[in-house]
Amino acid sequence: MSKHLSTIRSLAKTRDFEGILEQLKPLREQHPKHPELLIWQARAHLHLRRVDHAKETVAEGDRHGLSMPAWLHIKIRLALATGLRHEAVALGRVLCAREAFPLNNLGGLLLDNAQRLEDWQSLRLFAQKVLANDKKDRNALRHFYEAEIQIARETIALDDIETMVFQRDGHPDHLVALELFCTILCKRPQDVHPLIERAKQRWPDAEQIDHLTQKLDVFFDLSNPPFPASALGGRVPLDIPELAQHTHAIEGMANKPVQISPIRPSNTLLLTCLHSHKAIVLFDRYAAALGCTAVYPVDPDGYYCSTGLAGFATGYTETVTKLDTLLRKMGPDHRLAIIGSSGGALAALNFAVDLAPERLVLFGPATCVDPAFQAEIGDKRRPATLEKMARRVPLDLRNPINRLQHSPPKRTKLIYAGNNSIDEKHAALLNDLPNLNVQAQADVTQHDIASYLARKGKMLSFLQGALFDQPEASLQT
């Protein structure tokens, strides 16, 4: 058995989950109750997104009485894959009681889901378990202080925050408590200025102080007048993203070249390139549900930001420089994800080269707007604009594929209408991009795949998978 299990582990390292299932067939027949075999079978089905098969395996393991932590890990992943977030968090509490809370990415998923469910007691408990193992884990520290503030939001005072930040073994990382105190409870600059000055005296060279003041500068600028505290968190029932609470900040920015959402708690920052202000208002509900701050560049000239943004920057190079400065000011320690849909994806592709995001997410992208390519594939959209761009915009900005291959993002997720030949040919230009995950949505003809996902209630799940590696719900109709 040990030799077979060693082979299975080797296959897992290469992510050959079909191979794992082949190895398991004869072994499961010989050892139907073997716990490790059941765990590997369920794990393989989950990785292959065969949720129904995973459910059957989990039910079988439950009948055999499996209850060890590794089995509960599988049940948590299945619960997340099927949208049973309350069940996943409840299982996380069971693991805490057994002193077996996962310290890998599964633990991170439990933290994120407890936060989005606004289950502050569970969030605090999970964060405490992570911090007991690594007290310098910044993500867990942020979650812990958010839970502390939310639990005591009716009574918490600045003195409490001062104690949190300047505790006896204090470290400048604890300044995150002050940031969250401001953004969750909508405090004014004068309320917290004395603590910031004290922090500067105690840790004069700490980069965390610069990060804090930059974030609060942006927050205070955007919240004048203050946003409602309920909107700042951006957390809403995940199953109904259209009801996501968000302020009128986005609606009121219709004529601005760069539109910015309220500051939200996730450390993932979204640079999102869409085709209209209406699309931005709708998408920001998903950003709010994900807890992500989002920046939306808007090109009224329709040149996909390749000639600058009127009122913000002149020319593409200045646009990139100013966006980079803005993004760093909003969150120098954030992970950047760039999102683009349709023609906006061309801007996203160019920005991905120059801003080095962790993730690039594309919906039905226009990957090249050179008139020769458009004619070759039969794409007859916006011919007048493309001719103007051909005269004004360098070819490497109209066809950024070569630049992108030399400076690719760490991971790219692309989805398009599988029954749309034009979209298929645009998507094919990215086939050689490293770390590319392509999803052709079978039997879908309409170009606007983002709207299709939204109408089907699948957009939020898709974004959770693309941005945070959470299991996605099936996109099949």
Side-chain angles (χ1 to χ4, degrees):
M1 175 66 73
S2 60
K3 181 179 179 181
H4 292 297
L5 289 173
S6 178
T7 299
I8 288 171
R9 294 188 190 102
S10 297
L11 291 170
K13 290 179 181 178
T14 62
R15 303 185 67 81
D16 184 0
F17 296 104
E18 292 284 8
I20 288 173
L21 292 173
E22 286 296 320
Q23 287 283 326
L24 286 170
K25 283 180 182 178
L27 295 174
R28 288 290 330 280
E29 290 176 359
Q30 298 171 32
H31 310 281
K33 298 182 180 180
H34 194 288
E36 196 164 354
L37 298 182
L38 281 161
I39 289 170
W40 276 114
Q41 180 171 303
R43 185 178 296 167
H45 285 314
L46 284 170
H47 276 285
L48 293 169
R49 306 193 191 286
R50 296 171 182 166
V51 175
D52 288 341
H53 293 301
K55 284 181 180 178
E56 293 172 2
T57 304
V58 166
E60 184 180 355
D62 286 345
R63 287 195 298 272
H64 294 320
L66 270 61
S67 62
M68 68 283 288
W71 185 246
L72 295 186
H73 291 184
I74 292 294
K75 295 185 70 170
I76 289 170
R77 292 191 184 277
L78 177 61
L80 292 175
T82 53
L84 300 176
R85 296 174 179 85
H86 288 283
E87 180 178 320
V89 170
L91 288 167
R93 291 196 296 270
V94 172
L95 288 172
C96 287
R98 297 186 186 181
E99 298 298 330
F101 186 80
L103 300 174
N104 54 12
N105 70 320
L106 183 60
L109 289 174
L110 286 169
L111 282 164
D112 289 343
N113 278 275
Q115 180 201 48
R116 290 172 186 148
L117 291 170
E118 300 189 7
D119 183 345
W120 307 122
Q121 299 289 349
S122 294
L123 182 63
R124 181 170 62 180
L125 176 62
F126 297 166
Q128 286 173 328
K129 296 300 182 183
V130 176
L131 291 169
N133 179 70
D134 180 6
K135 65 180 182 181
K136 293 183 179 180
D137 187 306
R138 291 186 177 185
N139 186 51
L141 198 63
R142 170 177 284 272
H143 282 310
F144 173 76
Y145 281 131
E146 180 181 12
E148 287 278 273
I149 292 168
Q150 292 285 7
I151 289 169
R153 64 180 302 148
E154 299 301 326
T155 58
I156 196 165
L158 194 60
D159 289 347
D160 301 310
I161 300 300
E162 187 172 14
T163 301
M164 293 177 185
V165 173
F166 300 104
Q167 53 193 288
R168 185 170 56 188
D169 59 344
H171 186 276
D173 281 349
H174 293 273
L175 285 166
V176 70
L178 182 55
E179 174 199 334
L180 292 166
F181 180 68
C182 292
T183 55
I184 291 173
L185 302 182
C186 289
K187 297 300 177 181
R188 299 169 300 173
Q190 56 266 37
D191 294 335
V192 298
H193 181 73
L195 260 62
I196 294 176
E197 290 304 309
R198 181 180 170 188
K200 289 178 179 178
Q201 292 176 8
R202 181 164 180 178
W203 302 296
D205 300 319
E207 64 176 11
Q208 291 90 335
I209 294 175
D210 290 335
H211 294 178
L212 171 67
T213 54
Q214 288 170 356
K215 288 181 179 180
L216 292 184
D217 282 347
V218 174
F219 169 72
F220 291 135
D221 286 345
L222 292 176
S223 57
N224 186 22
F227 294 137
S230 61
L232 284 164
R235 288 172 298 279
V236 296
L238 290 181
D239 296 329
I240 318 176
E242 62 269 21
L243 296 182
Q245 295 181 30
H246 60 100
T247 72
H248 293 289
I250 290 296
E251 286 93 328
M253 291 185 176
N255 298 318
K256 293 186 178 295
V258 176
Q259 303 173 21
I260 305 173
S261 78
I263 300 295
R264 295 170 181 137
S266 173
N267 73 333
T268 296
L269 185 61
L270 307 181
L271 178 64
T272 307
C273 307
L274 302 173
H275 64 278
S276 70
H277 177 70
K278 180 180 178 182
I280 290 171
V281 171
L282 294 174
F283 182 87
D284 198 59
R285 299 187 178 196
Y286 293 99
L290 294 165
C292 294
T293 305
V295 176
Y296 303 96
V298 181
D299 185 356
D301 297 326
Y303 293 151
Y304 313 114
C305 304
S306 61
T307 60
L309 294 173
F312 179 75
T314 302
Y316 175 75
T317 300
E318 185 179 352
T319 299
V320 168
T321 301
K322 288 192 171 182
L323 281 174
D324 185 50
T325 300
L326 174 64
L327 293 167
R328 289 179 186 278
K329 183 178 180 182
M330 296 186 72
D333 55 349
H334 280 45
R335 66 195 285 268
L336 175 65
I338 296 180
I339 298 174
S341 175
S342 188
L346 185 74
L349 290 168
N350 279 314
F351 290 149
V353 174
D354 297 302
L355 296 174
E358 290 277 334
R359 302 289 171 95
L360 174 62
V361 182
L362 304 169
F363 298 89
T367 54
C368 173
V369 294
D370 182 65
F373 172 75
Q374 301 279 93
E376 178 184 336
I377 67 171
D379 189 348
K380 299 178 180 180
R381 294 171 292 181
R382 306 190 67 197
T385 298
L386 300 192
E387 288 296 335
K388 291 179 182 177
M389 287 185 67
R391 294 192 294 269
R392 295 187 58 186
V393 180
L395 179 59
D396 62 353
L397 293 179
R398 291 182 282 121
N399 182 5
I401 305 305
N402 288 335
R403 291 202 315 135
L404 195 69
Q405 288 174 341
H406 284 95
S407 302
K410 291 185 178 179
R411 294 178 67 176
T412 300
K413 181 69 175 279
L414 187 163
I415 185 169
Y416 68 96
N419 203 27
N420 185 312
S421 62
I422 301 297
D423 284 4
E424 182 179 16
K425 290 168 184 174
H426 274 284
L429 289 184
L430 296 174
N431 281 347
D432 294 330
L433 197 66
N435 301 315
L436 172 68
N437 183 324
V438 179
Q439 212 166 319
Q441 193 62 30
D443 300 322
V444 177
T445 302
Q446 72 174 76
H447 163 67
D448 191 356
I449 190 69
S451 293
Y452 170 85
L453 293 177
R455 287 200 311 276
K456 294 294 182 181
K458 305 294 186 181
M459 174 63 90
L460 190 62
S461 175
F462 177 83
L463 289 171
Q464 288 169 330
L467 297 173
F468 303 108
D469 298 326
Q470 292 194 21
E472 295 175 27
S474 171
L475 299 183
Q476 301 303 313
T477 55

